Amino acid sequence: MTPTTFRVVPHTTIVFIYKSPTLPADSPRKQLAILLVITNPLPHSPFQISLSSTNFFLHTHRKSRFESPMASASFVKLNASSSPWIGQRSFNQRPGSSSRLPATRVSVVRAGSYSEELVKTAKTIASPGRGILAIDESNATCGKRLASIGLDNTEANRQAYRQLLLTTPGLGQYISGSILFEETLYQSTTDGKKMVDCLREQNIVPGIKVDKGLVPLPGSNNESWCQGLDGLASRSAEYYSQGARFAKWRTVVSVPCGPSALAVKEAAWGLARYAAISQDNGLVPIVEPEILLDGDHPIERTLEVAERVWSEVFYYLAENNVMFEGILLKPSMVTPGADHKEKASPETVAKYTLTMLKRRVPPAVPGIMFLSGGQSEMEATLNLHAMNQSPNPWHVSFSYARALQNSVLKTWQGQPENVEAGQKALLSRAKANSLAQLGKYSADGESEDAKKGMFVKGYTY
């Protein structure tokens, strides 16, 4: 008989209740007996157990800050021939019923039928010397990029620019994944080849931006929340069928605005729900609560806010039973506010950023893919290089947009004869960040343009 395997996540209690196969299905509970109680008190280490008998029930007893104080309990028959990763069940106790189990937090992580694929995808993206090319700007934001070189915001111009990027020869040596906007996911090159196929040919994983942007958060201190959960499951399933294998959801936290407890909780909860839905549909979720550079605060304040935000994010990721081995993070580097009087060195940025990550991020997470957040191309690369001067528990790499594209746009200028030169500019920046991921980057020979900051106050995608 094939055993049924259960993954017991940290701070979880599972109760198995035995039922004799000779008893009818509607047997009263008094004829049932507790077979096994498993508790995992460890803070970071899940473990597995296996049972060969099919004659048992899984009893869950759960209480969370979102449920009423009434204890919840029920029985669910487990089928040993079903998926070996058993899903979370939340049940409401009938009025008048009782339970002798303590009111404790109970959950079982369900990775679903995509579990192995999610882990494989995350590891592929978090592979040595490679990072993510982010070209998921909305059409409006892409139009601003094109306007900077005198081009109109038309679909043909957006197609030409994205085709330049995604067909760069040799890009897969330095880039493991590319985040696309929905238009690009369905788009083809002028030769009729799908953009996603251009990526696959170079072993680059296609990704997709799934959030619907930021809107004002009522009741907050002039802060925002990210919308897009409505219909996300069906959209994610469709994106998967189109070739996407990971997703991105960007929300933001503003230091000058507090941040308020409401804004932090909303950001964390939204990211957790998105991550659970993405995994359920085969997409590795990139978790991105961006701590905006806006403000004149010191680096110590950024560290304080970042630790608070990531603490909340991982709490709700666990509440939503997200499998940490199948996610990637896209954090901001811990830096002073853009208007602070003193600029931090790469070594200082690395020290504070790694301190925050080691305090908040479990080693089960495969990769940390930093956003550039308006830093100059060279600054983002130098900071990444400084963070890879000693071994880390995770793959520490990049997921850059402007810090990879700025030189490309200036070189291309929208002219067909400059396509090859633009692709060489992209390859140069990708190689520089690849070396930074390996801890082998040198800033010698960098251009003056690469040293120019790209911070824009209140920047939106």
Side-chain angles (χ1 to χ4, degrees), residues 2-29:
T2 302
T4 301
T5 301
F6 301 89
R7 182 173 184 268
V8 187
V9 298
H11 304 303
T12 295
T13 299
I14 301 178
V15 180
F16 295 95
I17 298 180
Y18 177 77
K19 171 185 177 299
S20 171
T22 62
L23 292 175
D26 58 351
S27 298
R29 293 181 184 179

Side-chain angles (χ1 to χ4, degrees), residues 128-130 170-175 202 434:
R130 301 206 297 167
L171 188 62
Q173 184 177 351
Y174 312 116
I175 299 297
Q202 297 209 57
S434 170

Side-chain angles (χ1 to χ4, degrees), residues 170-429:
L171 188 62
Q173 184 177 351
Y174 312 116
I175 299 297
S176 56
S178 182
I179 311 171
L180 310 176
F181 190 62
E182 188 175 73
E183 179 182 70
T184 316
L185 182 68
Y186 292 89
Q187 215 165 32
S188 298
T189 67
T190 51
D191 295 331
K193 180 184 289 188
K194 292 182 178 180
M195 295 286 191
V196 291
D197 290 337
C198 295
L199 293 172
R200 286 168 171 165
E201 288 177 358
Q202 297 209 57
N203 193 29
I204 300 173
V205 182
I208 179 69
K209 169 187 167 73
V210 298
D211 68 78
K212 294 296 184 180
L214 300 169
V215 292
L217 177 62
S220 71
N221 187 22
N222 196 30
E223 295 161 290
S224 301
W225 70 284
C226 188
Q227 56 187 349
L229 288 177
D230 289 349
L232 180 58
S234 58
R235 285 188 286 119
S236 297
E238 175 62 23
Y239 296 149
Y240 183 93
S241 70
Q242 288 295 319
R245 290 298 179 269
F246 71 100
K248 174 203 164 179
W249 175 287
R250 173 186 179 258
T251 192
V252 300
V253 174
S254 171
V255 178
C257 289
S260 68
L262 174 64
V264 172
K265 181 177 289 188
E266 175 59 44
W269 178 253
L271 284 166
R273 291 303 307 137
Y274 137 77
I277 294 169
S278 294
Q279 287 190 341
D280 200 46
N281 288 279
L283 302 179
V284 170
I286 289 184
V287 179
E288 181 183 357
E290 179 176 354
I291 312 296
L292 296 172
L293 281 175
D294 304 63
D296 59 0
H297 50 278
I299 194 170
E300 292 82 6
R301 175 59 179 158
T302 308
L303 174 63
E304 178 186 355
V305 171
E307 288 184 349
R308 176 183 167 197
V309 169
W310 280 107
S311 177
E312 199 90 346
V313 167
F314 273 100
Y315 173 82
Y316 287 116
L317 287 174
E319 282 285 293
N320 282 273
N321 300 318
V322 173
M323 183 177 68
F324 291 171
E325 295 87 348
I327 68 174
L328 295 168
L329 307 187
K330 187 171 179 177
S332 311
M333 296 179 189
V334 178
T335 67
D339 297 326
H340 188 64
K341 58 185 178 182
E342 295 182 9
K343 200 172 187 66
S345 68
E347 292 74 23
T348 301
V349 171
K351 174 185 174 182
Y352 277 83
T353 303
L354 291 175
T355 294
M356 182 274 293
L357 293 174
K358 290 174 181 177
R359 288 175 177 174
R360 293 294 181 264
V361 181
V365 175
I368 313 290
M369 322 299 286
F370 283 103
L371 58 89
S372 55
Q375 300 177 73
S376 72
E377 291 179 331
M378 191 176 79
E379 184 181 9
T381 308
L382 281 170
N383 289 338
L384 179 62
H385 168 76
M387 280 184 270
N388 282 294
Q389 293 309 296
S390 58
N392 292 302
W394 341 263
H395 174 80
V396 175
S397 192
F398 60 93
S399 178
Y400 293 164
R402 286 172 284 175
L404 284 174
Q405 297 182 46
N406 193 48
S407 293
V408 180
L409 277 167
K410 291 181 178 180
T411 303
W412 176 47
Q413 291 294 318
Q415 303 301 316
E417 61 270 21
N418 293 337
V419 167
E420 185 177 349
Q423 291 178 331
K424 287 182 178 178
L426 173 60
L427 212 58
S428 176
R429 291 263 37 103

Side-chain angles (χ1 to χ4, degrees), residues 123-171:
K123 287 182 177 179
T124 297
I125 296 173
S127 54
R130 301 206 297 167
I132 295 174
L133 169 63
I135 57 169
D136 57 312
E137 302 90 352
S138 66
N139 288 346
T141 302
C142 189
K144 295 177 183 177
R145 302 270 175 90
L146 296 174
S148 70
I149 57 172
L151 291 183
D152 293 333
N153 185 16
T154 65
E155 182 178 354
N157 284 336
R158 294 193 299 270
Q159 177 195 38
Y161 178 53
R162 288 161 175 163
Q163 178 174 326
L164 178 158
L165 298 170
L166 300 184
T167 60
T168 297
L171 188 62

